[in-house]
Amino acid sequence: VKIQSSVTSVNDDFWKSRKVGIEISVDEDNQNYMSDGNAVYSKDGKTLYTYFINDSNINVKESIETIKSRAFVGLSNLTNLEFPSSLKTVEACICQGTQVTKLGFGEKLSSLSPNFDAFSNIKSVTINSNNLTYKVVDNSIYSKDGSILVRAFINNSSCFSVPSGVT
């Protein structure tokens, strides 16, 4: 698939329905998108739209600030996903259909969609201790002050106790 130079926007449904392993190239004269052979990014390199190489380990580039919805959907080999410290925003359902077991966020993350994914396979979640918005307690993500449970990761257990003071 080639995104021509004249393309100014791509419907979100295109990214959601892309086939794993099918390379998406971008004309170098395109003013809005670029590709490095593994993924499609905004031209300024700050937004990741889709990753199409089915690797088991992905370290997202340091320049990325936003990961769009369903960026890693269907990458069935993916087990480890590391985000850069530059990452600020993670949209919904980024890893549906993967086998992600590890998840790590940097210090600048400030917007995490509550339904960024149903990571039932998560065994390890980390957030840089210098993050001002979120923290991890007992493998679940909370607001930095601990008053809001953002995402609970329940593994091999039928129940989860919400700590007192959490809304």
Side-chain angles (χ1 to χ4, degrees):
V1 175
K2 182 161 186 161
I3 299 174
Q4 300 296 329
S5 62
S6 59
V7 174
T8 58
S9 68
V10 175
N11 184 300
D12 284 344
D13 288 337
F14 172 78
W15 305 122
K16 289 187 261 186
S17 65
R18 58 104 178 92
K19 301 281 188 217
V20 173
I22 303 288
E23 183 175 345
I24 303 170
S25 62
V26 179
D27 187 295
E28 65 183 41
D29 292 328
N30 186 292
Q31 297 299 304
N32 299 294
Y33 302 100
M34 67 177 181
S35 176
D36 65 359
N38 294 315
V40 176
Y41 307 91
S42 59
K43 191 68 168 191
D44 65 5
K46 293 182 179 182
T47 300
L48 171 62
Y49 288 97
T50 189
Y51 203 96
F52 49 82
I53 300 300
N54 200 6
D55 290 334
S56 61
N57 185 44
I58 295 175
N59 291 309
V60 177
K61 291 201 256 184
E62 185 58 40
S63 63
I64 299 300
E65 294 180 2
T66 299
I67 296 180
K68 300 297 277 183
S69 294
R70 296 177 171 85
F72 303 98
V73 165
L75 300 180
S76 59
N77 292 338
L78 183 58
T79 58
N80 185 36
L81 184 57
E82 291 291 328
F83 299 118
S85 62
S86 59
L87 185 63
K88 296 177 182 178
T89 302
V90 176
E91 293 187 1
C93 302
I94 62 167
C95 285
Q96 182 179 351
T98 70
Q99 296 301 314
V100 172
T101 58
K102 297 178 182 179
L103 194 58
F105 294 107
E107 63 186 68
K108 293 182 182 177
L109 183 69
S110 60
S111 178
L112 183 62
S113 172
N115 60 343
F116 69 96
D117 214 61
F119 285 111
S120 60
N121 293 318
I122 292 295
K123 293 176 178 52
S124 174
V125 178
T126 60
I127 294 180
N128 185 295
S129 61
N130 294 324
N131 186 289
L132 299 177
T133 307
Y134 302 106
K135 68 179 180 179
V136 173
V137 176
D138 295 331
N139 216 29
S140 294
I141 301 173
Y142 292 85
S143 59
K144 188 66 170 190
D145 66 5
S147 66
I148 299 171
L149 174 62
V150 177
R151 183 73 168 101
F153 298 99
I154 304 168
N155 293 309
N156 302 321
S157 176
S158 60
C159 65
F160 175 78
S161 296
V162 177
S164 63
V166 173
T167 57

